Amino acid sequence: MRRGCEDTADMHRLPDTEVLLDWVRQVDRLLEERVAAMSEEAVTQSSRLPGWTRGHVLAYLSRNADALVNLLTWARTGIPTPMYPSTEARNAAIEAGAGRGLQEHLDDVAGSARRFMEHATALPQAHWGTQVRSAQGNEIPAADIPWMRVREVWIHVVDLDVGVEFDAVPEPVARTLVQDVAGWMGDRVDRPVHLIDQRGDDTWFGGPAEQAAVSVRGSPQAYAAWLTGRSWGEALVVDPPGRLPELPRWL
C-alpha cells in the first residue's frame, strides 16, 4: 500500500467546487471525531500502512493540508508555491510529527484542516482555473485541489484503523474515487476491466479491446477499496468466475 497518494495522472470531470468543499468538511469532521476518541497509546500503535504508526498517518494528513494550502496560495497569487520543498522535507516533517501526543495531533489535524478551508473558501472564483503543479510535477487546475483533500482524508482515515471502513464512504464520493483511480489505471492493466455497480452504472479501463473483458460487480465502495489497494476485492464478483485482474500499484 502506498503511504500517501498526493497526485493523479488523469483526473476525470469532478463535481462543482462547492460540492467538493462540503465533502471536505464532512470527512474532516469524521477524522477529528475519530482522533478525539483515540487513546493516548493508540497513537503509537501500527496503522494499516506498513512501517507507519497512526501518528505517522496523522502527521501526514496535517502536512498534506498545509501542502494543499501552498497550491491554493499559488492559485491566488500566481507565484509558484510547491506543495513541499522536496520529498526529503516532506518525509522529515512526517517523521518529526509522528511521535507527538494525542492532543498535539488533534490540534494539528484540526488546525491544518481549518487553514485549508479558510484558504479554499477565500479563493476567488476566477482563480480555480489556475494551473498549479502537484507533488509529482503534473500540471492540474486549482479546481482539483479540494478533491485531492477529500481523497486523501477518506483513504487515510481508513488506514488509521480506528473503525472506519470503505463502506462508510458516501456513495457520490466513492463513485468519484472509482472514476479517478480507474482513469489513472487506463491501459496499465493488461486486459479490459468492466466494473458494473448495483445501479447498473459502469466503468471501463484496461488493455486492448480485442482481448476478452473481465466483468466485475460490486458496490462503488468495494471498487474504491480494491482499486486503491485497500482490499483484495473480497466483496466483488468476477465474471467469468476466476481471479480479479492484477492491478498496478496506484500512485
Side-chain angles (χ1 to χ4, degrees), residues 113-126:
R114 184 174 59 254
R115 289 190 294 274
F116 174 86
M117 192 57 63
E118 288 171 351
H119 281 74
T121 55
L123 188 68
Q125 185 64 36

Side-chain angles (χ1 to χ4, degrees), residues 83-106:
M83 290 180 67
Y84 303 98
S86 66
T87 300
E88 293 75 18
R90 167 193 180 273
N91 294 342
I94 295 168
E95 287 296 334
R100 295 173 302 180
L102 177 61
Q103 190 59 51
E104 288 180 278
H105 275 297
L106 181 56

Side-chain angles (χ1 to χ4, degrees), residues 59-68 84 93-94 100 108 112 115:
Y60 167 75
L61 285 172
S62 296
R63 300 292 69 78
N64 169 263
D66 287 337
L68 294 176
Y84 303 98
I94 295 168
R100 295 173 302 180
D108 198 14
S112 59
R115 289 190 294 274

Side-chain angles (χ1 to χ4, degrees), residues 194-214:
H194 184 200
L195 307 181
I196 309 168
D197 69 26
Q198 304 99 316
R199 260 186 6 188
D201 292 345
D202 61 359
T203 300
W204 284 87
F205 67 96
E210 61 268 18
Q211 294 190 20
V214 176

